[in-house]
Amino acid sequence: MSLFRHRSSIEAKTPDQLRAMRRAGLVVADTLALVRGRAAAGVSTGELDAAAEELIRSAGAQPSFLGYHGFTGSLCTSVNDEVVHGIPGSRVLREGDLLSVDCGAIVDGWHGDAAITLVVGGRDRGRPEDLALMDDTEDALWDGIAALRAGGRLYAVGDAVEAAVESALPRRADQGVSAYGILEDYVGHGIGRQMHMDPHVPNYAVTSTGPTVPSGATFAVEPMVTLGTIETRTLDDDWTVVTTDGSRAAHWEHTVAVTDAGLWVLTAHDGGEEQLRARGAPFAPLAD
């Protein structure tokens, strides 16, 4: 889940606190894996939400989203032109729908937050342009994470995300992609004992120096990219954000810890090892 913020202080965590956040992150990872397996034509977003809540609670955790400012789901389920904050309910999924699922969980007071995008029915049911959007947004997420360093510039995340999206676009003409838009009003954030903490983490290049990343910092990095405009509007439910031109959107997110030794993706089952090593970024999990 993403809310736009305008602050810059960054809270550092101790190793024990990072391990606690890892436990919350693994609940989120397990929940998203469950949802991925159950998202099929004929299944409602409310059914996915009920399954997610059951798993979260059975793991001894609490849903981060449920009741947050009145939100009524344990997941955000955003379909096709819905970018973020879609409320689970009676909507029945169809083959080929592009579904973004955002999940948060709390363990012992510590939050984990992550999101995935998938094609309902599997990749072979997806439109070529949707597959390109989904894959390029995920790649941009990992490029953004890999740009983080203790002592480095936080806004390097946005530089890397924007560069990844822009460099991908020329390769996608044969898949029907003519434009990508990186949302600017919905960004990543600090995370810890609260789901949304300072500072905001832009998904686009920012010319200002911005804050320096301390060792022990934790962030939710979450690019949202569309097949058209960056302009959005919020539906009458006061939550669901949709593109104004009806273009489809993808949303990927992970919670990541930054230490002097390197990066640990708290909401990835492998801690982010595969993706980070592929990008030459330092992978540095803490011993449990």
Side-chain angles (χ1 to χ4, degrees):
M1 181 175 280
S2 170
L3 294 178
F4 189 65
R5 315 237 346 144
H6 286 282
R7 301 176 187 173
S8 59
S9 63
I10 302 176
E11 177 186 89
K13 317 296 190 302
T14 68
D16 284 345
Q17 290 171 337
L18 294 180
R19 293 186 187 96
M21 290 187 67
R22 172 63 166 167
R23 292 192 288 274
L26 287 174
V27 173
V28 172
D30 289 344
T31 304
L32 289 174
L34 173 74
V35 171
R36 181 184 289 279
R38 294 199 181 187
V43 175
S44 72
T45 56
E47 289 174 307
L48 294 180
D49 189 69
E53 182 177 355
E54 181 179 3
L55 188 153
I56 291 169
R57 294 195 186 280
S58 69
Q62 298 171 277
S64 296
F65 299 172
L66 187 61
Y68 183 78
H69 294 294
F71 193 77
T72 57
S74 296
L75 300 174
C76 294
T77 52
S78 305
V79 185
N80 295 333
D81 64 331
E82 297 172 354
V83 185
V84 69
H85 301 162
I87 303 174
S90 61
R91 181 169 186 166
V92 175
L93 298 172
R94 300 177 299 177
E95 281 196 346
D97 279 341
L98 194 63
L99 172 66
S100 293
V101 182
D102 196 353
C103 178
I106 312 166
V107 175
D108 297 329
W110 295 95
H111 290 259
D113 189 6
I116 60 173
T117 297
L118 58 92
V119 174
V120 176
R123 290 184 64 92
D124 61 339
R125 300 298 183 183
R127 307 187 312 178
E129 61 268 37
D130 290 347
L131 297 177
L133 171 69
M134 181 173 67
D135 293 345
D136 291 340
T137 305
E138 184 182 14
D139 284 344
L141 163 72
W142 284 106
D143 282 4
I145 290 172
L148 283 166
R149 293 291 186 278
R153 177 174 170 267
L154 177 61
Y155 291 170
V157 172
D159 295 345
V161 169
E162 184 170 313
V165 171
E166 289 185 347
S167 66
L169 186 58
R171 303 193 304 268
R172 298 303 192 179
D174 61 347
Q175 291 174 271
V177 179
S178 59
Y180 281 144
I182 304 172
L183 263 65
E184 297 181 0
D185 288 345
Y186 298 90
V187 298
H189 50 90
I191 185 170
R193 284 200 173 273
Q194 301 173 50
M195 181 164 54
H196 295 109
M197 300 179 66
D198 300 332
H200 73 282
V201 184
N203 300 309
Y204 50 89
V206 178
T207 56
S208 65
T209 301
T212 298
V213 177
S215 180
T218 51
F219 305 104
V221 178
E222 52 177 325
M224 300 169 208
V225 182
T226 78
L227 283 169
T229 183
I230 65 171
E231 300 302 322
T232 63
R233 63 185 180 90
T234 303
L235 298 184
D236 290 343
D237 62 19
D238 292 328
W239 280 103
T240 308
V241 177
V242 301
T243 58
T244 58
D245 64 357
S247 61
R248 291 190 171 188
H251 175 203
W252 288 87
E253 177 182 18
H254 271 303
T255 298
V256 57
V258 186
T259 66
D260 288 330
L263 306 173
W264 191 19
V265 181
L266 304 176
T267 46
H269 280 119
D270 72 343
E273 180 175 12
E274 179 181 359
Q275 294 282 0
L276 292 173
R277 292 197 188 284
R279 290 164 171 79
F283 171 62
L286 298 178
D288 292 333

